[in-house]
Amino acid sequence: MLVVVLAALHVDFFNHGVSPPPLFGWLPVDLAYHIVWVIAAAAFVLYFTRYVWRDYDES
């Protein structure tokens, strides 16, 4: 379920057509959003490979 939510959030439909001022005076909001999204996606991949992926040597 979390993967579907993450995939849906990849398309930042709520920022479409909006041009807010840059964060910290230099970082575009769209880029900041995708940086946070990539960190969340990497955390999911790390979690899935470490805890969810079954190790066939253990069975």
Side-chain angles (χ1 to χ4, degrees):
M1 182 67 179
L2 292 174
V3 175
V4 173
V5 170
L6 192 64
L9 287 176
H10 184 261
V11 182
D12 55 347
F13 54 87
F14 48 86
N15 277 339
H16 186 68
V18 179
S19 182
L23 298 174
F24 311 115
W26 58 272
L27 183 63
V29 174
D30 292 340
L31 181 60
Y33 175 80
H34 282 286
I35 289 171
V36 171
W37 186 90
V38 165
I39 292 170
F44 278 128
V45 168
L46 181 65
Y47 171 75
F48 288 142
T49 56
R50 185 169 300 243
Y51 299 109
V52 178
W53 195 335
R54 184 169 177 231
D55 190 8
Y56 290 107
D57 293 338
E58 292 179 1
S59 52

